[in-house]
Amino acid sequence: MIRFLLVVIVLFGFLVASIPLVIGEYIIGKLNRKRQQEHSLRIVQAMFRMIFRITGSKLVVKGQERVPEGAVLYVGNHRSYFDIVVGYAVVPDLAGFVAKKEMTRYPVLVNWMKLVNCLFLNRMDIKEGLKTILEGIEKIKEGISIWIFPEGTRNENKDPLELMPFKEGSLKIAEKSGCPVVPVAITGTAEIFENHIPFMRPSQVTIEFGEPIYLKQLPKELKKCSGAYTRDRIIEMLKEEQEFRQTHRETVNVKRVQKA
């Protein structure tokens, strides 16, 4: 409970204290938009890294060298609010998340989200959804990566390998812009908070970037179901991580028995 209270205090304290910063970032943006985006990202990254440290968790990053240069579409599984925390903490360049439109109701928070290139999706309005896709394509053209969770909401299935179906339209940004799709497998974030609300507990979180997928190079039969294909790649990475952790636990147990 102490960790939860600390995170809440730090987060709300930052939002209140950062109001002058928000104003300053908007002023910088009028003079130099890219400088403002980079500066805002560094501030948000520092904030999220602090929050992650408060939870006492450990973060392992794998495959970051696989991410190609230039803007990409990050596509990940989604089990926790901490997916966004670790995602922003590790992205090397400008990137914005696609968030549900309901997030725009929170003052200051929504300002920071806009400053770091987040897009807001109205899941109930097809026309607005198309507008968000077009905005995402423009971001890609500007060299800003976009991060999406095609399951559409947090996955609460007990089995972390049981992902919900990926919405096929979610990869339209990559399809129309031609940017590569980078599958991202995130493990261990739900163990920080969602699995035992309201308590926060330390967890080992692994975020792995897979080999980029170039939609135009896929066989015709896979192009029609690129969302399902990407989902399968993420499940493969999650399964490998699960097997790695199981092997590691067994090795540790054997060593403990030998020492005893």
Side-chain angles (χ1 to χ4, degrees), residues 73 129 133 148 150 166-175 226-227:
L73 181 69
I133 290 173
I148 62 170
F166 279 19
K167 301 181 186 303
E168 289 298 331
S170 59
L171 301 191
K172 285 291 183 183
I173 292 174
E175 182 183 321
S226 56

Side-chain angles (χ1 to χ4, degrees), residues 60 62 185-187 204-208 235-247:
V60 177
K62 297 181 178 180
I186 306 174
T187 305
Q204 176 166 316
V205 175
T206 300
I207 179 168
E208 180 175 3
I235 291 175
E236 287 176 3
M237 289 190 289
L238 291 171
K239 186 176 181 180
E240 288 175 2
E241 176 63 22
Q242 191 177 77
E243 292 173 350
F244 172 80
R245 292 189 179 203
Q246 179 61 33
T247 301

Side-chain angles (χ1 to χ4, degrees), residues 15 39 86 101 114 127 138 169 206 221 247:
L15 291 176
H39 191 241
V86 299
K101 193 172 183 179
K114 290 178 179 178
K127 288 185 178 180
E138 287 303 311
T206 300
E221 62 273 15
T247 301

Side-chain angles (χ1 to χ4, degrees), residues 35-178:
R35 182 182 176 187
Q36 172 270 302
Q37 292 172 333
E38 292 173 346
H39 191 241
S40 295
L41 177 61
R42 301 306 167 224
I43 292 173
V44 169
Q45 285 181 321
M47 187 65 221
F48 280 166
R49 287 167 183 162
M50 180 187 297
I51 288 174
F52 189 79
R53 283 196 296 270
I54 291 173
T55 70
S57 300
K58 178 183 178 182
L59 178 60
V60 177
V61 183
K62 297 181 178 180
Q64 200 165 33
E65 71 282 354
R66 298 171 184 152
V67 181
E69 292 185 5
V72 303
L73 181 69
Y74 294 107
V75 178
N77 60 308
H78 189 30
R79 295 184 63 82
S80 168
Y81 291 116
F82 278 91
D83 296 334
I84 299 170
V85 172
V86 299
Y88 259 129
V90 302
V91 288
D93 300 303
L94 296 177
F97 278 75
V98 175
K100 56 186 180 181
K101 193 172 183 179
E102 289 80 356
M103 296 299 295
T104 59
R105 69 179 66 165
Y106 302 109
V108 187
L109 176 61
V110 67
N111 296 105
W112 277 111
M113 293 178 75
K114 290 178 179 178
L115 287 168
V116 292
N117 295 295
C118 285
L119 302 176
F120 301 94
L121 178 65
N122 186 339
R123 294 172 291 184
M124 307 303 294
D125 190 313
I126 296 177
K127 288 185 178 180
E128 283 200 34
L130 178 59
K131 183 180 178 182
T132 302
I133 290 173
L134 294 175
E135 290 174 352
I137 293 171
E138 287 303 311
K139 295 283 187 186
I140 293 290
K141 289 179 179 179
E142 294 172 14
I144 302 166
S145 297
I146 298 297
W147 193 307
I148 62 170
F149 297 118
E151 291 173 279
T153 187
R154 285 188 299 111
N155 184 351
E156 298 181 4
N157 290 327
K158 291 184 178 180
D159 185 354
L161 300 181
E162 189 179 339
L163 304 191
M164 293 185 289
F166 279 19
K167 301 181 186 303
E168 289 298 331
S170 59
L171 301 191
K172 285 291 183 183
I173 292 174
E175 182 183 321
K176 297 298 183 182
S177 68

